[in-house]
Amino acid sequence: MTDSQKKDIRQFSNAELQAVMVSWGEQPFRGKQIHEWLWEKSAHTFQEMSNLSTSLRDKLSQEFEIRNLVVDTQQLSTDGTMKFGFKLFDDHIIEGVLIPTEGRYTACVSSQVGCSLSCSFCATGFLKRQRNLTDAEIYDQYVLINNACRKQYGKPLTNVVFMGMGEPLLNYKNVLDGIDRLTAEDGLNISPKRITVSTAGIAKMIKKLGDDEVKFHLALSLHATNDENRNKIMPINESNNLDVLVEALNYFYDKTEGRITFEYILLDGVNDSEEDAHRLIKLARRVPGAKVNIIEYNPIDQADFQKPNLEQRAKFSRIMNTAGVTTTLRKSRGKDIDAACGQLANKA
């Protein structure tokens, strides 16, 4: 049987694997063992499954394949940030990032090959969206970045953010299934409170997160304080304007009481005025407990935006904090290897 005819074993549930084993004349618990190897022990080959007989491992290899990610490229920044190019089974490349900060090791993972939203300050937005990632491909990014983190820093990952390539809420089912693989007791059993999903703002899917009562945190890529400006830099705003998004975020909070963060990249002369700061304060106050992350703009080849100077960034943040809105001025990491926010574009 050729690889193209083999089935992807990680698309089978625990119960389905047990049923396959029974059909092969094996005991059903063998299916449970295979499931454990795939999702708890992160096995990438059938030969690793040492508590299965050699004949069963050989049969699995004949009938199934494990479409695991492979590290294609790996770069280390002067600040310790690591960027990875991951090759998928169909030869597409996606990128992920390991961000080490004091007491935290964060994996930034992708949800799509490319992106369809065309945000003008983001390099990924200039790529064509090729396809959604599977839940297993999302899981693999975490596993491979965690392995690198342990090797480089002697520590496991502490956090996961869906802020890489693609729009997570346009790959809703696979992203939630991937998060389930990470958080489930029969998966990696990590806390959902260590996970943040970032969206450019698809209101109906934000509400669906509320209906599904998710346990992870939510971040909104805001980047403008009125619809006129946001329409210019984020076309998704034309169908999901600020009032609609605020309503959706409140719905999400009412259903989950989950933490909501506004992400705000400061662009010189575009969204960094005192008026913008005061409008952002008003927006944040409309969403219970909302925090604001002020993000340093990172240059990309496709756009000519500039970042404000440090004094202007500090002033903007000071206005926010003085008004009582919890605001963090976030320093970019990995700029020298194009691993910072907005720079992922498969250039390596």
Side-chain angles (χ1 to χ4, degrees), residues 284-340:
R285 286 174 172 169
R286 292 172 65 186
V287 178
K291 300 180 180 180
V292 175
N293 270 346
I294 303 296
I295 302 171
E296 180 182 352
Y297 173 67
N298 302 297
I300 60 173
D301 294 341
Q302 301 91 335
D304 58 1
F305 294 113
Q306 302 296 322
K307 64 182 179 184
N309 61 42
L310 183 59
E311 182 181 341
Q312 177 64 13
R313 299 201 301 272
K315 179 181 178 181
F316 193 98
S317 179
R318 189 164 56 250
I319 292 171
M320 301 291 299
N321 279 309
T322 300
V325 176
T326 302
T327 303
T328 302
L329 188 57
R330 206 168 82 193
K331 183 180 179 182
S332 288
R333 310 274 300 187
K335 288 185 287 186
D336 57 320
I337 57 171
D338 291 322

Side-chain angles (χ1 to χ4, degrees), residues 106-321:
T106 301
C108 176
V109 301
S110 295
S111 56
Q112 296 179 307
V113 182
C115 187
S116 60
L117 296 188
S118 303
C119 298
S120 60
F121 50 83
C122 177
T124 309
F126 289 86
L127 300 177
K128 179 182 178 183
R129 189 193 74 83
Q130 301 288 341
R131 68 170 176 86
N132 289 333
L133 298 183
T134 67
D135 57 343
E137 290 167 336
I138 291 166
Y139 168 95
D140 274 355
Q141 292 177 76
Y142 176 90
V143 170
L144 292 174
I145 296 174
N146 190 47
N147 290 344
C149 190
R150 288 180 179 275
K151 183 177 180 181
Q152 184 73 21
Y153 297 106
K155 301 282 187 179
L157 290 170
T158 60
N159 298 83
V160 190
V161 295
F162 283 75
M163 297 181 185
M165 306 174 78
E167 166 52 56
L169 299 192
L170 292 181
N171 185 17
Y172 189 92
K173 182 181 186 302
N174 290 348
V175 166
L176 262 63
D177 286 349
I179 290 173
D180 186 58
R181 297 298 189 190
L182 297 178
T183 59
E185 288 187 9
D186 62 352
L188 296 183
N189 200 27
I190 68 175
S191 169
K193 298 301 183 186
R194 291 167 49 194
I195 298 174
T196 299
V197 172
S198 176
T199 176
I202 295 126
K204 68 178 182 180
M205 304 313 290
I206 292 172
K207 287 184 175 181
K208 183 165 174 52
L209 289 175
D211 289 334
D212 288 338
E213 298 182 350
V214 300
K215 304 300 183 185
F216 51 78
H217 302 306
L218 183 65
L220 174 69
S221 292
L222 184 64
H223 312 313
T225 57
N226 59 37
D227 288 322
E228 180 182 2
N229 287 343
R230 199 164 189 265
N231 288 346
K232 291 176 183 177
I233 61 174
M234 300 182 70
I236 187 67
N237 194 72
E238 294 176 9
S239 54
N240 292 264
N241 66 37
L242 292 174
D243 284 341
V244 169
L245 288 175
V246 166
E247 179 194 1
L249 291 172
N250 276 280
Y251 184 91
F252 171 86
Y253 182 83
D254 288 344
K255 293 283 188 175
T256 69
E257 295 187 356
R259 189 179 72 201
I260 297 169
T261 302
F262 287 137
E263 296 171 307
Y264 197 85
I265 295 175
L266 281 181
L267 303 170
D268 187 35
V270 176
N271 64 359
D272 63 337
S273 68
E274 289 188 35
E275 291 78 9
D276 282 303
H278 289 294
R279 284 195 294 263
L280 183 51
I281 291 165
K282 290 179 180 178
L283 277 171
R285 286 174 172 169
R286 292 172 65 186
V287 178
K291 300 180 180 180
V292 175
N293 270 346
I294 303 296
I295 302 171
E296 180 182 352
Y297 173 67
N298 302 297
I300 60 173
D301 294 341
Q302 301 91 335
D304 58 1
F305 294 113
Q306 302 296 322
K307 64 182 179 184
N309 61 42
L310 183 59
E311 182 181 341
Q312 177 64 13
R313 299 201 301 272
K315 179 181 178 181
F316 193 98
S317 179
R318 189 164 56 250
I319 292 171
M320 301 291 299
N321 279 309

